[in-house]
Amino acid sequence: MKMRIDKLLTSMGLATRTEAAKAARQGLIRLNGKVISKADEKIDPEIDSVEYLGKKVEYKKYVYIMMNKPSGVVSSTDGKDGDTVISLLPDELQRCGLFPCGRLDKDTVGLLIVTNDGSTAHYLLSPKRHVSKIYHLKTLCPVTQNDIDILQSGVKLDHGDIARPAKVEVINENELNITIVEGMYHQIKRMLEAVNNKVIFLERIEFGTIPLDRSLERGQWRYLTKEETDILLNQTR
Ligand code: URA
């Protein structure tokens, strides 16, 4: 499918439209080896070769990012409730239609996938797909064996929701890893409330078998590797 060169560069987060136009005027964009003067030229990104600032553009239809979400930012694209995870990305990436794949509460930290691939995100978030997520959490009160049995056999939440059986790994009496395959609103916090406890720290450490890259500080991000992108996309097949 044909697209404009500036659209190619913005959709991949390489430049803003203004930057693309300026680079074209300065002779810094090549199309099939020849310098072009206008960034609105139409190309077929699967066939044509584009060089931007001296580097070949490896066309990718969608962007997939891993972020280590810090506390205090909202997982949405709309900043009316405070800073968003998108605002932590560089300007050019903020303009290529990215959104978080699922939500973490404002005070939850850890692994968030950010993409502009709407159909994959929709698939991964569908309650029918049972994509697994692992959360590491700390609790206010000690968790008993009876609580663990309840969480593992499926617990009744407030508002009548039932959480499917979760996998619980005990780190110590106030610290657990819990694997769930749903994504109900405040699910982990509500699961712990259902056993008369309270979550005081919550971190997502794995999404769809992709672990959080511990070398990312809170608030930092990186592109998913080819292997991680394949893992993500394979779950939709
Ligand atoms: N469960 C919660 O309670 N909060 C989150 O942010 C994610 C899962």
Side-chain angles (χ1 to χ4, degrees), residues 3-13 17 20 39-40 96:
M3 76 196 296
R4 288 165 48 141
I5 289 189
D6 53 2
K7 171 80 179 134
L8 167 78
L9 298 175
T10 54
S11 73
M12 292 184 61
R17 268 179 73 178
D40 62 1
C96 60

Side-chain angles (χ1 to χ4, degrees), residues 104-105 108 135 186-189 202:
L104 293 179
D105 298 335
T108 301
Y135 292 89
H186 295 327
Q187 180 163 341
I188 296 283
K189 291 176 185 165
L202 185 58

